[in-house]
Amino acid sequence: MRKNIITVSREFGSGGRSVAKAVAERLGFDYYDQEIIMRVAEESGLAKDVVAEYDEYMSHKNSLLFTLSQSGGGSLYGALSFANMVQMAQTKVIKRLAEKGNCVIVGRASDYILRDREDCLHVFVYANKAFRADRIVNVYGETDKKIENRIKDMDKRRKLYYSSFTGREWGFCHNYHLSLDSSVLGIEGCADMIIKAVETAQ
Amino acid sequence: MRKNIITVSREFGSGGRSVAKAVAERLGFDYYDQEIIMRVAEESGLAKDVVAEYDEYMSHKNSLLFTLSQSGGGSLYGALSFANMVQMAQTKVIKRLAEKGNCVIVGRASDYILRDREDCLHVFVYANKAFRADRIVNVYGETDKKIENRIKDMDKRRKLYYSSFTGREWGFCHNYHLSLDSSVLGIEGCADMIIKAVETAQ
């Protein structure tokens, strides 16, 4: 079946967002990334900065388990943490965007949310640590010297976000149809590979 | 750097071997698969059928831990099980084959053995269970009715083989540069993608 929805999950610093943008431009597809935050805010009734805080990165303080432990486990309202409200609204928003077709959606566990649609190609972009550190400093412009710790922290939080949302393991091939190492294939190269996969997919 | 060595790891039933063969033919590369068993037998001094038994599939009875427990932990000779002798010989054979370049090597943890060579492209081919079950019956000609159990057993044994050999987790994206779902991309499609990656890789 023709894949007219592409989800791109990516490691922080891998350049996955640039890959996704290039693919959308080349295919003439809509591109959904940070504007999802605004849509989720509208859907959930939460403030945009609250949604942004819970968007894709989980600290243990945001987890359902933490909220439950704080509420003594007795309050459903307490248990339904901001994180869960954001996840529920994200699910609705992403399913609605997918209905329109011809789009590239970045992150937000969209591979999981859209797992039952046969018109989706799910892609994961990752890279080795040296490539990521270089991009974080020279492309994203971050100046923190402890770049290794920054990568480690972001990986940990995104992993926790993904597993709490999906029950799946972050970075495991079976979550995706195609996984690409951007440190070997390059940013434009990864975009080429995804276009090729769209042409190839059955 | 030009990738003139391609390793193809694959799930049982995914068609990864057919993908690897097609890539070797199209690139005019040497193709190394089951003949590695004969070379490992020569290298290790073990009989070919013993090597074949320990080739890529581990049962718990083949593990170092099991051998140690049987030998009371006192005998280094006992601890150096057939599985470990096969692994040591496989490492030598695969490194020697890689030295010649321009080749496709199937399985046998070759992605791990050759992890420090920059002229390698490491690929993983996998598929959903329905696609694998169909190939196992209709292409490989197996007639066992409990095909789900067969897949489960093979996955478990290959996972154990890989993790005991490498200390890595089987099926995790970071072990490879490119991972392909053959149930979505097709056998020829996966071959196309690998050729594209060889042209693209930096």
Side-chain angles (χ1 to χ4, degrees):
Chain A
M1 180 184 266
R2 168 90 184 156
K3 308 293 182 190
N4 56 34
I5 301 160
I6 302 164
T7 70
V8 179
S9 306
R10 76 289 179 222
E11 280 186 341
F12 178 65
S14 68
R17 174 172 285 160
S18 304
V19 171
K21 209 174 277 181
V23 169
E25 276 171 16
R26 286 167 59 181
L27 292 175
F29 278 13
D30 289 327
Y31 172 78
Y32 301 116
D33 184 3
Q34 290 183 314
E35 68 157 297
I36 292 174
I37 295 173
M38 197 192 64
R39 292 174 189 255
V40 169
E42 282 167 10
E43 177 66 38
S44 64
L46 293 170
K48 197 180 158 193
D49 56 347
V50 172
V51 175
E53 195 188 330
Y54 289 87
D55 182 54
E56 294 202 278
Y57 296 99
M58 182 82 85
S59 77
H60 78 282
K61 286 195 176 175
N62 299 348
S63 73
L64 179 60
L65 214 62
F66 181 81
T67 314
L68 268 169
S69 71
Q70 294 302 296
S71 72
S75 157
L76 183 63
Y77 182 79
L80 192 64
S81 66
F82 282 161
N84 294 93
M85 290 170 73
V86 168
Q87 286 179 3
M88 276 166 40
Q90 264 179 357
T91 301
K92 280 191 189 168
V93 166
I94 286 170
K95 284 189 170 177
R96 210 178 293 142
L97 292 175
E99 276 304 307
K100 297 200 276 178
N102 292 346
C103 62
V104 177
I105 304 173
V106 175
R108 293 158 188 89
S110 47
D111 58 292
Y112 175 78
I113 293 169
L114 304 176
R115 65 193 178 283
D116 294 328
R117 287 191 72 115
E118 292 202 351
D119 53 352
C120 288
L121 182 79
H122 302 303
V123 182
F124 183 58
V125 180
Y126 56 98
N128 65 34
K129 292 235 167 79
F131 181 89
R132 295 168 69 190
D134 182 69
R135 275 189 75 83
I136 292 165
V137 172
N138 296 315
V139 182
Y140 306 172
E142 293 197 16
T143 52
D144 188 341
K145 282 177 188 168
K146 289 181 181 168
I147 210 74
E148 284 237 353
N149 290 349
R150 174 100 169 103
I151 290 177
K152 212 170 165 181
D153 178 59
M154 291 295 268
D155 282 354
K156 199 172 161 186
R157 289 174 62 192
R158 202 169 273 182
K159 191 175 173 173
L160 190 58
Y161 162 86
Y162 187 77
S163 64
S164 82
F165 198 148
T166 70
R168 293 173 169 184
E169 200 178 346
W170 175 249
F172 188 65
C173 295
H174 264 282
N175 304 338
Y176 316 99
H177 301 130
L178 174 66
S179 300
L180 303 164
D181 182 339
S182 55
S183 43
V184 164
L185 298 165
I187 301 296
E188 276 306 311
C190 286
D192 290 345
M193 294 291 293
I194 296 171
I195 305 270
K196 181 84 184 162
V198 169
E199 291 164 2
T200 303
Q202 300 172 332
Chain B
M1 179 185 267
R2 168 90 184 155
K3 308 294 182 189
N4 56 35
I5 300 159
I6 302 165
T7 70
V8 179
S9 306
R10 77 288 179 221
E11 280 185 342
F12 178 66
S14 69
R17 174 172 285 163
S18 303
V19 171
K21 209 174 277 182
V23 169
E25 275 171 19
R26 285 165 59 180
L27 292 175
F29 278 14
D30 290 325
Y31 172 79
Y32 301 116
D33 183 4
Q34 290 183 314
E35 68 157 295
I36 292 174
I37 295 171
M38 197 192 64
R39 291 175 189 253
V40 169
E42 283 167 10
E43 177 67 38
S44 64
L46 293 169
K48 197 181 159 192
D49 56 347
V50 172
V51 174
E53 194 188 331
Y54 290 86
D55 182 55
E56 294 203 278
Y57 296 99
M58 181 83 83
S59 76
H60 77 281
K61 285 196 177 175
N62 299 347
S63 74
L64 179 60
L65 214 62
F66 181 81
T67 314
L68 267 170
S69 71
Q70 295 302 297
S71 71
S75 158
L76 182 63
Y77 183 79
L80 193 63
S81 66
F82 282 161
N84 295 92
M85 290 169 75
V86 169
Q87 286 179 3
M88 277 166 37
Q90 263 179 356
T91 301
K92 279 191 191 169
V93 166
I94 286 171
K95 283 189 172 179
R96 211 179 293 143
L97 293 175
E99 275 306 305
K100 296 200 276 176
N102 292 347
C103 61
V104 177
I105 303 173
V106 175
R108 293 159 189 88
S110 47
D111 58 292
Y112 176 77
I113 293 169
L114 304 176
R115 66 195 178 282
D116 294 328
R117 286 192 73 116
E118 293 202 351
D119 53 352
C120 288
L121 183 79
H122 301 303
V123 181
F124 183 57
V125 180
Y126 57 98
N128 65 35
K129 292 234 166 80
F131 181 89
R132 295 168 67 189
D134 182 70
R135 275 190 75 83
I136 292 166
V137 172
N138 296 315
V139 182
Y140 305 172
E142 293 197 17
T143 51
D144 188 342
K145 282 177 190 169
K146 290 182 179 168
I147 210 74
E148 284 237 354
N149 290 349
R150 174 101 167 102
I151 289 177
K152 212 169 164 181
D153 178 59
M154 292 295 268
D155 282 353
K156 198 171 161 187
R157 290 174 61 192
R158 202 170 274 182
K159 192 175 173 174
L160 190 58
Y161 163 86
Y162 188 77
S163 64
S164 82
F165 198 148
T166 70
R168 292 174 169 184
E169 199 179 346
W170 176 248
F172 188 64
C173 295
H174 264 282
N175 303 338
Y176 315 99
H177 302 130
L178 173 66
S179 300
L180 304 164
D181 182 339
S182 56
S183 42
V184 164
L185 297 166
I187 302 297
E188 276 306 312
C190 286
D192 289 345
M193 294 290 293
I194 296 171
I195 306 269
K196 182 84 184 162
V198 169
E199 291 164 2
T200 303
Q202 300 172 332

